[in-house]
Amino acid sequence: MSRVRVDLNISLDGFATTTDQTPENPFGDDWGRLTGDYVATRTFRERVLGMSDGSGTTGVDDTYAAGYFEDVRAEIMGAAMFGLHLHGDDPDWRGWWGEEPPFRCPVFVLTHSEREPIAFANGTRFEFVSMAPREALKAARAVATGGDVRIGGGPTTVRDFLREGLVDSLHVAVVPILLGRGVRLWDDLRGLEAGYRVTAEAAESGVTHLTFEREDGR
Amino acid sequence: MSRVRVDLNISLDGFATTTDQTPENPFGDDWGRLTGDYVATRTFRERVLGMSDGSGTTGVDDTYAAGYFEDVRAEIMGAAMFGLHLHGDDPDWRGWWGEEPPFRCPVFVLTHSEREPIAFANGTRFEFVSMAPREALKAARAVATGGDVRIGGGPTTVRDFLREGLVDSLHVAVVPILLGRGVRLWDDLRGLEAGYRVTAEAAESGVTHLTFEREDGR
């Protein structure tokens, strides 16, 4: 059954997006710390970095990392995640991911600015749409052909979908660090847990993997 | 070795103290949800409720609940935790805990208002002191005679001690609910994890028990 999924890394104090970027350090130091245990997994190294030397961790973190890519046939992301807040004035900007973006499926980027679609040889195709969450989800489902739709991020976009009750499965990797700054995932989501089965699993790295699965199985 | 310890329950979105109290419902509904899994343990039922019928949960949550009471020989708490923000005008107020407060040791209540000490038959003795964190800790250590000192709460008081680097052991039970309101534990604690070993353990209830243990063993 096609599901709407979210996977995010957050700090203990709830920050899913970091704000310490500079021109010299476009991702910032906090981002590296937030994603370090995910980046260290064998799945990330194979799937995102294109490494095939069998390196990387293979424990609980890797199990969730592998799940991240399973069955996703369409993705929706906010303009900031694609980089438009920084690079929106550059008509040639193609995202952060080089010529092998790890999505390998249609990606709907929510933005009010008009941009031409960008297609890559590996199946990734960015399409820029000005749509509300439900409308974007309908468009994504139409091309997902029974596969899952992932809401990729950032946290503001994810919250929009969570608040409208559109997410079936939420996986949050809670990293044992306190950032003290950034954009929080959990703001204004009181009572979100209603209707979900919530589970927690501790990884060897110290990361806790939280999952919210919708109870009615939709 | 005498250690300074903290044990708190927080929601996924980081709230350790609730703000939905009313005169008719002096603890509020959120507090019940935040502490429900702790209150359900056998240790809580025996130690705080005085029940001896062997009821209550005996899993991971109970292991941490039992640890909560081990070796604590003095406690420090903020005025709000003792109830002075609500009952400070009542000279006969003796706290929330009836005639068997579960502390059974000297408790230093940080307040600028002068109140007479209150002693209970079970060893609990509330003393009201206007002290900075280091000063209060010195007073508590003096009476703890080698046992541990617990910073009981609330989160604002705990943060004061954490920020000054005075806490050796922090246990946080993260309850899988989103409250969306209250007082946050984690505010302004960027980098707290430095110098601590952080571990996470998932309980049967869905609660995740996080512990920060100071690495130098102090």
Side-chain angles (χ1 to χ4, degrees):
Chain A
M1 189 81 139
S2 171
R3 288 148 69 232
V4 179
R5 294 163 39 187
V6 170
D7 296 83
L8 287 176
N9 300 296
I10 67 173
S11 61
L12 273 182
D13 46 354
F15 295 105
T17 291
T18 58
T19 50
D20 63 334
Q21 296 85 354
T22 62
E24 296 73 35
N25 189 358
F27 289 94
D29 291 331
D30 289 352
W31 183 252
R33 300 174 64 219
L34 200 54
T35 58
D37 293 304
Y38 170 50
V39 166
T41 62
R42 178 177 296 186
T43 295
F44 185 92
R45 294 166 80 91
E46 287 179 1
R47 177 77 185 226
V48 184
L49 302 183
M51 296 168 68
S52 54
D53 61 354
S55 64
T57 65
T58 56
V60 172
D61 289 333
D62 191 54
T63 302
Y64 284 92
Y68 181 84
F69 292 102
E70 268 170 22
D71 299 324
V72 173
R73 306 266 177 80
E75 173 137 347
I76 296 168
M77 68 173 63
M81 183 168 165
F82 185 77
L84 292 183
H85 289 188
L86 281 174
H87 300 279
D89 293 338
D90 175 2
D92 297 326
W93 175 250
R94 294 165 67 82
W96 310 100
W97 301 276
E99 289 306 306
E100 289 278 349
F103 309 100
R104 306 182 191 172
C105 67
V107 178
F108 295 87
V109 180
L110 304 180
T111 174
H112 297 300
S113 58
E114 293 190 9
R115 296 179 81 92
E116 290 300 310
I118 311 172
F120 293 82
N122 74 356
T124 303
R125 182 177 190 276
F126 294 110
E127 187 165 348
F128 302 87
V129 297
S130 176
M131 292 179 176
R134 280 177 197 279
E135 191 184 0
L137 191 51
K138 194 172 169 186
R141 280 194 197 278
V143 299
T145 57
D148 290 349
V149 175
R150 182 168 55 211
I151 316 301
T156 308
T157 300
V158 167
R159 272 204 309 275
D160 288 343
F161 283 80
L162 287 171
R163 268 199 297 263
E164 294 207 29
L166 298 176
V167 176
D168 301 310
S169 170
L170 168 65
H171 161 238
V172 181
V174 185
V175 182
I177 59 174
L178 291 158
L179 290 179
R181 63 189 182 194
V183 181
R184 284 199 174 92
L185 170 61
W186 297 127
D187 277 359
D188 301 320
L189 289 174
R190 177 178 172 80
L192 175 70
E193 68 278 6
Y196 288 98
R197 190 166 51 86
V198 184
T199 57
E201 184 174 12
E204 302 83 352
S205 60
V207 169
T208 303
H209 293 273
L210 280 173
T211 55
F212 288 59
E213 296 287 344
R214 206 194 286 280
E215 283 181 328
D216 60 12
R218 276 202 305 151
Chain B
M1 189 81 140
S2 171
R3 288 149 68 234
V4 179
R5 292 164 39 188
V6 170
D7 295 82
L8 286 176
N9 300 296
I10 68 173
S11 61
L12 273 183
D13 46 354
F15 295 105
T17 291
T18 58
T19 50
D20 63 334
Q21 296 85 356
T22 62
E24 296 74 36
N25 189 359
F27 289 94
D29 291 331
D30 289 352
W31 184 253
R33 301 175 63 217
L34 201 53
T35 58
D37 293 303
Y38 170 50
V39 166
T41 62
R42 179 177 296 186
T43 295
F44 185 92
R45 295 168 79 91
E46 288 178 1
R47 177 76 186 228
V48 183
L49 302 183
M51 297 168 67
S52 54
D53 61 354
S55 64
T57 65
T58 56
V60 172
D61 288 333
D62 192 54
T63 302
Y64 284 91
Y68 181 84
F69 292 103
E70 269 170 21
D71 299 325
V72 173
R73 306 264 177 79
E75 174 138 346
I76 297 168
M77 69 173 63
M81 183 169 165
F82 186 77
L84 292 183
H85 289 189
L86 281 174
H87 300 279
D89 293 337
D90 175 3
D92 297 325
W93 175 251
R94 293 165 68 81
W96 309 101
W97 301 277
E99 290 305 306
E100 289 278 350
F103 309 101
R104 305 182 191 173
C105 67
V107 178
F108 295 87
V109 180
L110 304 180
T111 174
H112 297 301
S113 58
E114 294 190 9
R115 297 179 78 91
E116 290 299 310
I118 311 171
F120 293 82
N122 75 355
T124 303
R125 183 178 189 275
F126 294 110
E127 186 165 348
F128 303 87
V129 298
S130 176
M131 292 178 175
R134 282 176 196 278
E135 191 184 359
L137 191 51
K138 194 173 169 186
R141 280 193 196 279
V143 299
T145 59
D148 290 350
V149 175
R150 183 169 53 211
I151 315 302
T156 308
T157 300
V158 166
R159 272 205 308 274
D160 288 345
F161 283 80
L162 287 170
R163 267 199 297 261
E164 295 208 28
L166 299 176
V167 175
D168 301 310
S169 170
L170 168 65
H171 161 238
V172 181
V174 185
V175 182
I177 59 174
L178 291 158
L179 290 179
R181 63 189 183 194
V183 180
R184 284 199 174 91
L185 170 61
W186 298 127
D187 277 358
D188 302 320
L189 288 174
R190 177 178 173 81
L192 174 70
E193 69 278 5
Y196 289 97
R197 190 166 50 85
V198 185
T199 58
E201 183 175 10
E204 302 83 350
S205 60
V207 169
T208 303
H209 293 272
L210 279 173
T211 55
F212 287 60
E213 296 287 343
R214 206 195 284 282
E215 284 182 327
D216 60 11
R218 276 200 307 151

